Amino acid sequence: RKEVEQDPGPFNVPEGATVAFNCTYSNSASQSFFWYRQDCRKEPKLLMSVYSSGNEDGRFTAQLNRASQYISLLIRDSKLSDSATYLCAVLFSGGYNKLIFGAGTRLAVHP
Amino acid sequence: DVKVTQSSRYLVKRTGEKVFLECVQDMDHENMFWYRQDPGLGLRLIYFSYDVKMKEKGDIPEGYSVSREKKERFSLILESASTNQTSMYLCASSPPQRGRQYFGPGTRLTVT
């Protein structure tokens, strides 16, 4: 089993739709969680951190479910500019803290 | 704003050549990382460093080495480039214990 798993998609949605992605992780001792956005041929950029209580930033909502070991990202009122690949990242504790990335979920928003 | 820069955006090298990829960050971060990214495989950690002159192997270190002589600079070296090292190489840095990583723009390396 991979340490961090995501559905690769693509998720094809119309503008204005609500779309949600999940990301499962294997290490129950994981401490920190993040969502990154990566545009085609560009570097990943932090979209938001994921807190235990959940957090919201405009149209984006991130949630953590420790019992089931997954994080989620909800995008409301999708825009064309939201088209990108969304990577989840999980901080695994160990001798050195290590950030493990999922392979990403591709989102395509169409008119 | 944190800035992570990489020496080249695109690079074409021949099989057997020695290749140097340079990464510089300007935020005095202790931690620096080298990843490669391939379609369907996501980001894979090659090497990382938590201090000057310190290095640790990541998940796929074979065929690579690194150098960190100064805090702001972390170099990835392909001792003898091979075609299976054609990939996008991403450098990242982070403050200690914080998790969040800041990425450079990436170097798309093609080995022919």
Side-chain angles (χ1 to χ4, degrees):
Chain A
R1 182 186 170 190
K2 288 184 182 177
E3 293 172 293
V4 178
E5 289 198 82
Q6 294 182 253
D7 182 340
F11 284 60
N12 293 301
V13 303
E15 275 186 289
T18 295
V19 61
F21 312 132
N22 283 344
C23 167
T24 58
Y25 60 93
S26 61
N27 187 335
S28 59
S30 300
Q31 295 178 337
S32 301
F33 308 86
F34 307 90
W35 282 104
Y36 281 77
R37 172 195 167 123
Q38 185 173 26
D39 293 300
C40 189
R41 296 186 169 268
K42 296 287 183 79
E43 74 273 23
K45 293 187 178 176
L46 184 71
L47 180 65
M48 55 200 307
S49 302
V50 186
Y51 305 121
S52 296
S53 56
N55 48 306
E56 190 172 309
D57 183 3
R59 298 182 293 108
F60 298 84
T61 301
Q63 296 209 309
L64 166 64
N65 185 316
R66 282 197 185 273
S68 300
Q69 294 183 205
Y70 73 88
I71 61 172
S72 63
L73 178 68
L74 181 80
I75 305 175
R76 288 181 299 278
D77 189 23
S78 298
K79 312 289 185 193
L80 295 175
S81 57
D82 293 333
S83 297
T85 297
Y86 292 84
L87 308 175
C88 64
V90 178
L91 188 66
F92 280 49
S93 304
Y96 295 105
N97 288 342
K98 197 169 148 184
L99 197 61
I100 308 292
F101 288 85
T105 297
R106 196 152 63 87
L107 171 65
V109 182
H110 56 82
Chain B
D1 247 6
V2 176
K3 195 153 176 81
V4 181
T5 57
Q6 294 184 228
S7 48
S8 307
R9 293 299 301 272
Y10 299 94
L11 210 51
V12 179
K13 295 291 181 180
R14 291 190 178 275
T15 300
E17 278 194 84
K18 192 168 186 175
V19 182
F20 293 86
L21 303 182
E22 302 282 337
C23 174
V24 178
Q25 50 96 2
D26 67 357
M27 281 302 291
D28 203 35
H29 286 166
E30 281 77 5
N31 307 332
M32 295 189 76
F33 308 84
W34 274 107
Y35 296 90
R36 63 177 283 177
Q37 187 175 32
D38 302 286
L41 297 177
L43 284 160
R44 292 183 290 166
L45 183 63
I46 305 171
Y47 268 96
F48 59 99
S49 169
Y50 284 86
D51 202 352
V52 175
K53 296 194 186 293
M54 173 271 177
K55 59 186 178 185
E56 289 287 334
K57 292 180 180 179
D59 299 318
I60 51 163
E62 296 78 20
Y64 304 94
S65 62
V66 291
S67 171
R68 192 158 181 209
E69 296 296 318
K70 293 185 178 182
K71 191 175 186 181
E72 67 271 18
R73 188 179 298 268
F74 191 34
S75 303
L76 180 70
I77 303 149
L78 285 66
E79 296 290 343
S80 176
S82 64
T83 54
N84 63 12
Q85 292 179 310
T86 292
S87 186
M88 168 75 113
Y89 289 87
L90 288 155
C91 173
S93 74
S94 76
Q97 307 300 324
R98 293 289 293 277
R100 174 185 175 173
Q101 293 182 11
Y102 299 81
F103 285 87
T107 296
R108 191 165 292 277
L109 172 68
T110 301
V111 182
T112 61

PDB file of all heavy atoms in Angstrom, chain A residues 2-25:
ATOM      1  N   LYS A   2       0.566   2.217  -0.850  1.00  0.00           N
ATOM      2  CA  LYS A   2       1.332   3.457  -0.867  1.00  0.00           C
ATOM      3  C   LYS A   2       1.084   4.232   0.418  1.00  0.00           C
ATOM      4  O   LYS A   2       0.016   4.155   1.012  1.00  0.00           O
ATOM      5  CB  LYS A   2       0.903   4.306  -2.063  1.00  0.00           C
ATOM      6  CG  LYS A   2       1.380   3.764  -3.396  1.00  0.00           C
ATOM      7  CD  LYS A   2       0.979   4.722  -4.506  1.00  0.00           C
ATOM      8  CE  LYS A   2       1.398   4.185  -5.854  1.00  0.00           C
ATOM      9  NZ  LYS A   2       0.950   5.055  -6.949  1.00  0.00           N
ATOM     10  N   GLU A   3       2.090   5.013   0.803  1.00  0.00           N
ATOM     11  CA  GLU A   3       1.965   5.787   2.042  1.00  0.00           C
ATOM     12  C   GLU A   3       0.901   6.880   1.915  1.00  0.00           C
ATOM     13  O   GLU A   3       0.206   7.197   2.883  1.00  0.00           O
ATOM     14  CB  GLU A   3       3.308   6.394   2.394  1.00  0.00           C
ATOM     15  CG  GLU A   3       4.351   5.341   2.775  1.00  0.00           C
ATOM     16  CD  GLU A   3       5.736   5.935   2.938  1.00  0.00           C
ATOM     17  OE1 GLU A   3       6.315   6.391   1.943  1.00  0.00           O
ATOM     18  OE2 GLU A   3       6.227   5.932   4.086  1.00  0.00           O
ATOM     19  N   VAL A   4       0.807   7.476   0.745  1.00  0.00           N
ATOM     20  CA  VAL A   4      -0.196   8.515   0.498  1.00  0.00           C
ATOM     21  C   VAL A   4      -0.815   8.228  -0.865  1.00  0.00           C
ATOM     22  O   VAL A   4      -0.090   8.082  -1.851  1.00  0.00           O
ATOM     23  CB  VAL A   4       0.441   9.922   0.496  1.00  0.00           C
ATOM     24  CG1 VAL A   4      -0.598  10.982   0.189  1.00  0.00           C
ATOM     25  CG2 VAL A   4       1.105  10.205   1.839  1.00  0.00           C
ATOM     26  N   GLU A   5      -2.133   8.123  -0.914  1.00  0.00           N
ATOM     27  CA  GLU A   5      -2.804   7.747  -2.149  1.00  0.00           C
ATOM     28  C   GLU A   5      -3.874   8.752  -2.544  1.00  0.00           C
ATOM     29  O   GLU A   5      -4.619   9.249  -1.682  1.00  0.00           O
ATOM     30  CB  GLU A   5      -3.444   6.369  -2.008  1.00  0.00           C
ATOM     31  CG  GLU A   5      -2.428   5.236  -1.969  1.00  0.00           C
ATOM     32  CD  GLU A   5      -3.026   3.874  -2.253  1.00  0.00           C
ATOM     33  OE1 GLU A   5      -3.201   3.532  -3.435  1.00  0.00           O
ATOM     34  OE2 GLU A   5      -3.332   3.158  -1.279  1.00  0.00           O
ATOM     35  N   GLN A   6      -3.925   9.024  -3.833  1.00  0.00           N
ATOM     36  CA  GLN A   6      -4.951   9.904  -4.385  1.00  0.00           C
ATOM     37  C   GLN A   6      -5.519   9.281  -5.650  1.00  0.00           C
ATOM     38  O   GLN A   6      -4.812   8.578  -6.375  1.00  0.00           O
ATOM     39  CB  GLN A   6      -4.349  11.263  -4.787  1.00  0.00           C
ATOM     40  CG  GLN A   6      -3.834  12.100  -3.674  1.00  0.00           C
ATOM     41  CD  GLN A   6      -3.324  13.425  -4.194  1.00  0.00           C
ATOM     42  OE1 GLN A   6      -2.122  13.671  -4.247  1.00  0.00           O
ATOM     43  NE2 GLN A   6      -4.247  14.315  -4.552  1.00  0.00           N
ATOM     44  N   ASP A   7      -6.767   9.582  -5.922  1.00  0.00           N
ATOM     45  CA  ASP A   7      -7.379   9.228  -7.205  1.00  0.00           C
ATOM     46  C   ASP A   7      -6.766  10.142  -8.256  1.00  0.00           C
ATOM     47  O   ASP A   7      -6.834  11.360  -8.133  1.00  0.00           O
ATOM     48  CB  ASP A   7      -8.892   9.448  -7.117  1.00  0.00           C
ATOM     49  CG  ASP A   7      -9.619   9.062  -8.398  1.00  0.00           C
ATOM     50  OD1 ASP A   7      -8.969   8.993  -9.467  1.00  0.00           O
ATOM     51  OD2 ASP A   7     -10.825   8.853  -8.329  1.00  0.00           O
ATOM     52  N   PRO A   8      -6.152   9.587  -9.314  1.00  0.00           N
ATOM     53  CA  PRO A   8      -5.480  10.449 -10.292  1.00  0.00           C
ATOM     54  C   PRO A   8      -6.429  11.287 -11.146  1.00  0.00           C
ATOM     55  O   PRO A   8      -5.993  12.279 -11.748  1.00  0.00           O
ATOM     56  CB  PRO A   8      -4.701   9.461 -11.155  1.00  0.00           C
ATOM     57  CG  PRO A   8      -5.423   8.165 -10.994  1.00  0.00           C
ATOM     58  CD  PRO A   8      -5.976   8.161  -9.613  1.00  0.00           C
ATOM     59  N   GLY A   9      -7.718  10.884 -11.193  1.00  0.00           N
ATOM     60  CA  GLY A   9      -8.680  11.589 -12.038  1.00  0.00           C
ATOM     61  C   GLY A   9      -8.466  11.227 -13.504  1.00  0.00           C
ATOM     62  O   GLY A   9      -8.038  10.110 -13.787  1.00  0.00           O
ATOM     63  N   PRO A  10      -8.771  12.083 -14.480  1.00  0.00           N
ATOM     64  CA  PRO A  10      -9.167  13.479 -14.234  1.00  0.00           C
ATOM     65  C   PRO A  10     -10.616  13.632 -13.807  1.00  0.00           C
ATOM     66  O   PRO A  10     -11.444  12.821 -14.156  1.00  0.00           O
ATOM     67  CB  PRO A  10      -8.929  14.137 -15.585  1.00  0.00           C
ATOM     68  CG  PRO A  10      -9.140  13.045 -16.576  1.00  0.00           C
ATOM     69  CD  PRO A  10      -8.670  11.774 -15.916  1.00  0.00           C
ATOM     70  N   PHE A  11     -10.829  14.664 -13.037  1.00  0.00           N
ATOM     71  CA  PHE A  11     -12.179  15.080 -12.705  1.00  0.00           C
ATOM     72  C   PHE A  11     -12.539  16.184 -13.703  1.00  0.00           C
ATOM     73  O   PHE A  11     -11.892  17.223 -13.728  1.00  0.00           O
ATOM     74  CB  PHE A  11     -12.242  15.638 -11.280  1.00  0.00           C
ATOM     75  CG  PHE A  11     -12.203  14.584 -10.211  1.00  0.00           C
ATOM     76  CD1 PHE A  11     -11.138  13.709 -10.090  1.00  0.00           C
ATOM     77  CD2 PHE A  11     -13.229  14.483  -9.279  1.00  0.00           C
ATOM     78  CE1 PHE A  11     -11.097  12.738  -9.099  1.00  0.00           C
ATOM     79  CE2 PHE A  11     -13.197  13.519  -8.276  1.00  0.00           C
ATOM     80  CZ  PHE A  11     -12.137  12.651  -8.189  1.00  0.00           C
ATOM     81  N   ASN A  12     -13.513  15.919 -14.532  1.00  0.00           N
ATOM     82  CA  ASN A  12     -13.973  16.913 -15.505  1.00  0.00           C
ATOM     83  C   ASN A  12     -15.284  17.495 -15.012  1.00  0.00           C
ATOM     84  O   ASN A  12     -16.288  16.783 -14.925  1.00  0.00           O
ATOM     85  CB  ASN A  12     -14.173  16.266 -16.879  1.00  0.00           C
ATOM     86  CG  ASN A  12     -12.866  15.805 -17.482  1.00  0.00           C
ATOM     87  OD1 ASN A  12     -11.959  16.602 -17.685  1.00  0.00           O
ATOM     88  ND2 ASN A  12     -12.751  14.515 -17.748  1.00  0.00           N
ATOM     89  N   VAL A  13     -15.288  18.781 -14.683  1.00  0.00           N
ATOM     90  CA  VAL A  13     -16.488  19.393 -14.118  1.00  0.00           C
ATOM     91  C   VAL A  13     -16.794  20.696 -14.837  1.00  0.00           C
ATOM     92  O   VAL A  13     -15.886  21.362 -15.354  1.00  0.00           O
ATOM     93  CB  VAL A  13     -16.329  19.665 -12.600  1.00  0.00           C
ATOM     94  CG1 VAL A  13     -16.005  18.368 -11.859  1.00  0.00           C
ATOM     95  CG2 VAL A  13     -15.292  20.713 -12.322  1.00  0.00           C
ATOM     96  N   PRO A  14     -18.070  21.105 -14.875  1.00  0.00           N
ATOM     97  CA  PRO A  14     -18.418  22.389 -15.485  1.00  0.00           C
ATOM     98  C   PRO A  14     -18.142  23.521 -14.507  1.00  0.00           C
ATOM     99  O   PRO A  14     -18.097  23.316 -13.283  1.00  0.00           O
ATOM    100  CB  PRO A  14     -19.919  22.253 -15.763  1.00  0.00           C
ATOM    101  CG  PRO A  14     -20.391  21.298 -14.725  1.00  0.00           C
ATOM    102  CD  PRO A  14     -19.259  20.342 -14.473  1.00  0.00           C
ATOM    103  N   GLU A  15     -17.969  24.694 -15.067  1.00  0.00           N
ATOM    104  CA  GLU A  15     -17.835  25.888 -14.212  1.00  0.00           C
ATOM    105  C   GLU A  15     -19.008  25.955 -13.245  1.00  0.00           C
ATOM    106  O   GLU A  15     -20.146  25.653 -13.613  1.00  0.00           O
ATOM    107  CB  GLU A  15     -17.875  27.149 -15.077  1.00  0.00           C
ATOM    108  CG  GLU A  15     -16.566  27.559 -15.665  1.00  0.00           C
ATOM    109  CD  GLU A  15     -16.673  28.895 -16.380  1.00  0.00           C
ATOM    110  OE1 GLU A  15     -17.296  28.932 -17.458  1.00  0.00           O
ATOM    111  OE2 GLU A  15     -16.124  29.876 -15.854  1.00  0.00           O
ATOM    112  N   GLY A  16     -18.707  26.356 -12.039  1.00  0.00           N
ATOM    113  CA  GLY A  16     -19.753  26.505 -11.032  1.00  0.00           C
ATOM    114  C   GLY A  16     -20.023  25.250 -10.217  1.00  0.00           C
ATOM    115  O   GLY A  16     -20.720  25.314  -9.195  1.00  0.00           O
ATOM    116  N   ALA A  17     -19.463  24.131 -10.635  1.00  0.00           N
ATOM    117  CA  ALA A  17     -19.703  22.879  -9.907  1.00  0.00           C
ATOM    118  C   ALA A  17     -18.912  22.857  -8.597  1.00  0.00           C
ATOM    119  O   ALA A  17     -17.949  23.597  -8.408  1.00  0.00           O
ATOM    120  CB  ALA A  17     -19.297  21.698 -10.775  1.00  0.00           C
ATOM    121  N   THR A  18     -19.346  21.968  -7.731  1.00  0.00           N
ATOM    122  CA  THR A  18     -18.603  21.674  -6.505  1.00  0.00           C
ATOM    123  C   THR A  18     -17.917  20.322  -6.702  1.00  0.00           C
ATOM    124  O   THR A  18     -18.541  19.365  -7.181  1.00  0.00           O
ATOM    125  CB  THR A  18     -19.542  21.613  -5.297  1.00  0.00           C
ATOM    126  OG1 THR A  18     -20.101  22.914  -5.075  1.00  0.00           O
ATOM    127  CG2 THR A  18     -18.793  21.180  -4.046  1.00  0.00           C
ATOM    128  N   VAL A  19     -16.655  20.268  -6.342  1.00  0.00           N
ATOM    129  CA  VAL A  19     -15.894  19.035  -6.542  1.00  0.00           C
ATOM    130  C   VAL A  19     -15.082  18.755  -5.288  1.00  0.00           C
ATOM    131  O   VAL A  19     -14.647  19.684  -4.600  1.00  0.00           O
ATOM    132  CB  VAL A  19     -14.983  19.136  -7.791  1.00  0.00           C
ATOM    133  CG1 VAL A  19     -13.960  20.249  -7.662  1.00  0.00           C
ATOM    134  CG2 VAL A  19     -14.323  17.814  -8.100  1.00  0.00           C
ATOM    135  N   ALA A  20     -14.918  17.476  -4.980  1.00  0.00           N
ATOM    136  CA  ALA A  20     -14.171  17.106  -3.772  1.00  0.00           C
ATOM    137  C   ALA A  20     -13.161  16.021  -4.100  1.00  0.00           C
ATOM    138  O   ALA A  20     -13.454  15.099  -4.889  1.00  0.00           O
ATOM    139  CB  ALA A  20     -15.130  16.620  -2.684  1.00  0.00           C
ATOM    140  N   PHE A  21     -11.990  16.146  -3.501  1.00  0.00           N
ATOM    141  CA  PHE A  21     -10.944  15.135  -3.642  1.00  0.00           C
ATOM    142  C   PHE A  21     -10.610  14.588  -2.262  1.00  0.00           C
ATOM    143  O   PHE A  21     -10.590  15.332  -1.286  1.00  0.00           O
ATOM    144  CB  PHE A  21      -9.646  15.744  -4.201  1.00  0.00           C
ATOM    145  CG  PHE A  21      -9.804  16.611  -5.385  1.00  0.00           C
ATOM    146  CD1 PHE A  21      -9.199  17.851  -5.430  1.00  0.00           C
ATOM    147  CD2 PHE A  21     -10.544  16.202  -6.478  1.00  0.00           C
ATOM    148  CE1 PHE A  21      -9.330  18.673  -6.535  1.00  0.00           C
ATOM    149  CE2 PHE A  21     -10.683  17.011  -7.577  1.00  0.00           C
ATOM    150  CZ  PHE A  21     -10.081  18.256  -7.612  1.00  0.00           C
ATOM    151  N   ASN A  22     -10.274  13.316  -2.237  1.00  0.00           N
ATOM    152  CA  ASN A  22      -9.792  12.705  -1.003  1.00  0.00           C
ATOM    153  C   ASN A  22      -8.360  12.244  -1.166  1.00  0.00           C
ATOM    154  O   ASN A  22      -7.881  12.017  -2.281  1.00  0.00           O
ATOM    155  CB  ASN A  22     -10.648  11.494  -0.621  1.00  0.00           C
ATOM    156  CG  ASN A  22     -11.967  11.905  -0.008  1.00  0.00           C
ATOM    157  OD1 ASN A  22     -12.147  13.049   0.401  1.00  0.00           O
ATOM    158  ND2 ASN A  22     -12.898  10.977   0.045  1.00  0.00           N
ATOM    159  N   CYS A  23      -7.712  12.093  -0.037  1.00  0.00           N
ATOM    160  CA  CYS A  23      -6.330  11.619  -0.016  1.00  0.00           C
ATOM    161  C   CYS A  23      -6.178  10.755   1.231  1.00  0.00           C
ATOM    162  O   CYS A  23      -6.435  11.230   2.337  1.00  0.00           O
ATOM    163  CB  CYS A  23      -5.398  12.830   0.023  1.00  0.00           C
ATOM    164  SG  CYS A  23      -3.690  12.458   0.427  1.00  0.00           S
ATOM    165  N   THR A  24      -5.786   9.504   1.067  1.00  0.00           N
ATOM    166  CA  THR A  24      -5.639   8.621   2.218  1.00  0.00           C
ATOM    167  C   THR A  24      -4.167   8.464   2.560  1.00  0.00           C
ATOM    168  O   THR A  24      -3.300   8.524   1.680  1.00  0.00           O
ATOM    169  CB  THR A  24      -6.240   7.225   1.952  1.00  0.00           C
ATOM    170  OG1 THR A  24      -5.590   6.657   0.809  1.00  0.00           O
ATOM    171  CG2 THR A  24      -7.727   7.319   1.678  1.00  0.00           C
ATOM    172  N   TYR A  25      -3.881   8.276   3.834  1.00  0.00           N
ATOM    173  CA  TYR A  25      -2.494   8.115   4.274  1.00  0.00           C
ATOM    174  C   TYR A  25      -2.409   6.916   5.206  1.00  0.00           C
ATOM    175  O   TYR A  25      -3.386   6.547   5.863  1.00  0.00           O
ATOM    176  CB  TYR A  25      -1.974   9.394   4.940  1.00  0.00           C
ATOM    177  CG  TYR A  25      -2.740   9.827   6.169  1.00  0.00           C
ATOM    178  CD1 TYR A  25      -2.344   9.432   7.448  1.00  0.00           C
ATOM    179  CD2 TYR A  25      -3.867  10.649   6.053  1.00  0.00           C
ATOM    180  CE1 TYR A  25      -3.045   9.834   8.568  1.00  0.00           C
ATOM    181  CE2 TYR A  25      -4.576  11.048   7.168  1.00  0.00           C
ATOM    182  CZ  TYR A  25      -4.170  10.636   8.425  1.00  0.00           C
ATOM    183  OH  TYR A  25      -4.866  11.039   9.534  1.00  0.00           O
TER     184      TYR A  25
END
